[in-house]
Amino acid sequence: MATPDTSSSSFPSSAPDTGEAASTSRLPCVVMPASWRGWSLLAVFLLLIALGIWPVIGWVNQQSSLWGMPSLILWSYLIIFACSGAMLLGNRMLPDEEDGAPREDERASHE
């Protein structure tokens, strides 16, 4: 089966002439932190991801029992509460970007 020739199409092309510009426009935009608060939160989240990967879980998954629970269950509770704490910390540390106005708790502390 022959493939149709699309190089001489009668439809106008909206893509740029250079193939390099077309390929870079499809890449997702990566937003990097702009402050020390953002970088510290990124480090906390990366640390939490590292603590939840399989090799670390393999080290924790022992036959020991603390407070009547296996160590793996305690580790999973630690990861869950640490993730919740990191998200709470991120909400408190980073400004509200929605409208640029300070949050309710920040307005109350300045008055």
Side-chain angles (χ1 to χ4, degrees), residues 62-92:
Q62 304 295 322
Q63 291 296 324
S64 64
S65 178
L66 299 169
W67 300 310
M69 291 186 283
S71 59
L72 186 59
I73 291 179
L74 292 175
W75 187 255
S76 64
Y77 284 151
L78 176 82
I79 295 292
I80 289 169
F81 287 123
C83 287
S84 298
M87 288 185 277
L88 179 66
L89 184 67
N91 285 337
R92 298 289 180 192

Side-chain angles (χ1 to χ4, degrees), residues 19-22 27 34-37 42 44 46 51-52 69 71 74 76 96:
E20 182 179 87
L27 294 175
S35 66
W36 67 271
R37 293 175 179 175
L42 178 64
V44 167
L46 291 176
L51 290 175
M69 291 186 283
S71 59
L74 292 175
S76 64
D96 189 15

Side-chain angles (χ1 to χ4, degrees), residues 10-105:
S10 61
F11 297 108
S13 174
S14 62
D17 291 337
T18 61
E20 182 179 87
S23 66
T24 59
S25 65
R26 293 183 187 138
L27 294 175
C29 179
V30 176
V31 178
M32 298 300 289
S35 66
W36 67 271
R37 293 175 179 175
W39 282 106
S40 62
L41 285 172
L42 178 64
V44 167
F45 279 111
L46 291 176
L47 178 68
L48 285 171
I49 289 171
L51 290 175
I53 62 174
W54 178 246
V56 176
I57 291 173
W59 295 331
V60 174
N61 193 11
Q62 304 295 322
Q63 291 296 324
S64 64
S65 178
L66 299 169
W67 300 310
M69 291 186 283
S71 59
L72 186 59
I73 291 179
L74 292 175
W75 187 255
S76 64
Y77 284 151
L78 176 82
I79 295 292
I80 289 169
F81 287 123
C83 287
S84 298
M87 288 185 277
L88 179 66
L89 184 67
N91 285 337
R92 298 289 180 192
M93 285 178 65
L94 297 177
D96 189 15
E97 298 289 333
E98 189 173 314
D99 57 358
R103 294 190 312 248
E104 295 291 327
D105 56 348

